[in-house]
Amino acid sequence: MKYMKFIKEAEQLAASMDKEESAVILLLEYVTKENSTGLYTKLHEEVSKEIQESFQSLFHRYLYENEPVQYLIGSSCFYGYDFKVTKDVLIPRYETEELVEQVLYRYDSYFKGQQVDVCDLATGSGCIGITLALEEKLMRVVATDISKDALRIAKENSEKLGVNVEFLEGDMLEPVKNRKFDIFVSNPPYIPEKENVMSLVKDNEPNIALFGGEDGMKFYRIILENVHMLLKEKAIVCFEHGYDKKEEMLALAKYYFPEARVEVLKDLEGKDRMTFIYVGDFNV
């Protein structure tokens, strides 16, 4: 069977089972060690028996054992970089890429040309902190997580991508309680405990990194109540959060930072996904 037919049949099977068709190409790239361009050049070539067997083994796990394709291939693309992922860390989402992009925009507006200290709390795979350090060399990034296993993966990603990020283990703000930062960024667990979560996520990704208390706001309360001591005179606090938490985030931010300017940003789907708090005089 030629690649063109092989891909089409696999995509049709995935669609019939309400699975992402894009997983087919990702799995084929993995087993053939080709990128999408390389696969395109093979469309009219025969798929070897070895490739078919390797693909079908992984594809079966994806379709019938409900395993995310990113865990099957051991990596996920984030902001153009290849991050190692295992079941010890969340799979990076495209919404979080938008958070990184917005942080970089704010750096350009308010700190351009200055070296800044950045804290990435609950770093997981390290995708936020590592990407910021890669994209802006003037950011000195400290990344924290309560999970030793997650930090091990984050450190591997940092080493593989060739960037210097300091990693600290501990609960919430404890690892950095004696530090000061210009930018504080976090994508903490924010799914309400009783919310119905698709099995592909709940049964595979670490629950400690998913659920944020009864209403999903537990960790934002802890952070905002205590983050003052970590901030320099002029600083920005940046969060990703649930799309339906705009009013709760605004209320919390205004309660703990009554003098600050607070901004809720929409993602590319028009959902209220990010909150930025500007502490000190930014002349805005």
Side-chain angles (χ1 to χ4, degrees):
M1 184 185 300
K2 290 183 168 55
Y3 273 92
M4 182 177 290
K5 184 178 180 182
F6 186 80
I7 292 170
K8 184 176 180 180
E9 290 186 358
E11 288 178 339
Q12 288 174 340
L13 178 56
S16 71
M17 297 184 65
D18 201 26
K19 296 284 189 176
E20 294 288 339
E21 295 175 46
S22 58
V24 173
I25 298 299
L26 289 173
L27 289 173
L28 264 181
E29 288 177 351
Y30 177 72
V31 299
T32 62
K33 297 180 173 56
E34 296 275 5
N35 58 26
S36 55
T37 302
L39 280 181
Y40 180 78
T41 64
K42 290 177 173 288
L43 289 179
H44 299 291
E45 297 179 12
E46 294 288 328
V47 185
S48 70
K49 182 180 179 182
E50 179 183 11
I51 293 297
Q52 289 191 47
E53 290 177 350
S54 297
F55 173 85
Q56 294 296 351
S57 175
L58 293 173
F59 196 44
H60 183 277
R61 290 166 61 186
Y62 174 68
L63 292 179
Y64 301 104
E65 298 176 26
N66 209 35
E67 293 187 46
V69 66
Q70 293 89 346
Y71 288 157
L72 290 171
I73 65 177
S75 67
S76 180
C77 183
F78 182 86
Y79 217 83
Y81 300 106
D82 190 35
F83 280 83
K84 177 179 179 178
V85 293
T86 69
K87 291 192 175 185
D88 296 313
V89 298
L90 286 185
I91 298 167
R93 267 68 172 183
Y94 67 87
E95 296 94 342
T96 308
E97 291 183 325
E98 295 183 54
L99 176 65
V100 167
E101 185 174 38
Q102 294 296 343
V103 172
L104 291 168
Y105 284 158
R106 270 67 189 167
Y107 169 81
D108 285 341
S109 297
Y110 304 126
F111 299 108
K112 185 65 174 177
Q114 301 176 41
Q115 189 166 66
V116 294
D117 293 298
V118 179
C119 179
D120 169 24
L121 186 144
T123 192
S125 66
C127 61
I128 294 176
I130 291 171
T131 302
L132 289 173
L134 286 165
E135 292 291 313
E136 180 46 70
K137 305 305 180 185
L138 291 172
M139 288 186 177
R140 293 183 298 204
V141 178
V142 176
T144 76
D145 206 287
I146 194 172
S147 168
K148 186 186 297 291
D149 292 327
L151 284 176
R152 175 177 51 82
I153 299 301
K155 289 176 183 177
E156 288 184 31
N157 282 322
S158 178
E159 292 169 1
K160 180 180 70 171
L161 292 168
V163 68
N164 184 27
V165 171
E166 180 182 359
F167 294 98
L168 299 174
E169 180 186 349
D171 189 17
M172 299 307 291
L173 305 177
E174 184 65 23
V176 289
K177 62 183 180 181
N178 297 316
R179 309 281 282 266
K180 296 284 186 180
F181 298 96
D182 301 280
I183 299 174
F184 183 95
V185 59
S186 184
N187 176 24
Y190 61 71
I191 299 175
E193 288 177 352
K194 294 182 180 179
E195 184 170 307
N196 186 31
V197 179
M198 60 188 298
S199 61
L200 184 67
V201 174
K202 186 176 182 180
D203 296 344
N204 289 283
E205 302 191 55
N207 282 198
I208 191 175
L210 290 172
F211 296 101
E214 186 175 346
D215 63 353
M217 297 296 292
K218 173 183 176 180
F219 296 110
Y220 300 102
R221 294 189 188 95
I222 294 172
I223 293 168
L224 287 172
E225 181 180 0
N226 299 284
V227 76
H228 296 80
M229 63 183 180
L230 305 181
L231 303 178
K232 296 184 183 180
E233 185 177 347
K234 290 170 60 174
I236 303 177
V237 181
C238 324
F239 292 113
E240 179 181 330
H241 50 76
Y243 69 89
D244 57 350
K245 297 298 182 181
K246 175 181 178 179
E247 298 307 321
E248 290 96 324
M249 289 300 302
L250 283 173
L252 269 181
K254 283 300 185 181
Y255 180 78
Y256 288 110
F257 291 91
E259 304 300 321
R261 184 171 77 91
V262 182
E263 181 180 27
V264 175
L265 301 173
K266 296 182 183 297
D267 62 19
L268 291 176
E269 294 185 352
K271 297 179 179 179
D272 297 311
R273 183 68 68 174
M274 297 158 278
T275 293
F276 280 65
I277 305 169
Y278 305 90
V279 180
D281 181 16
F282 282 105
N283 296 315
V284 292

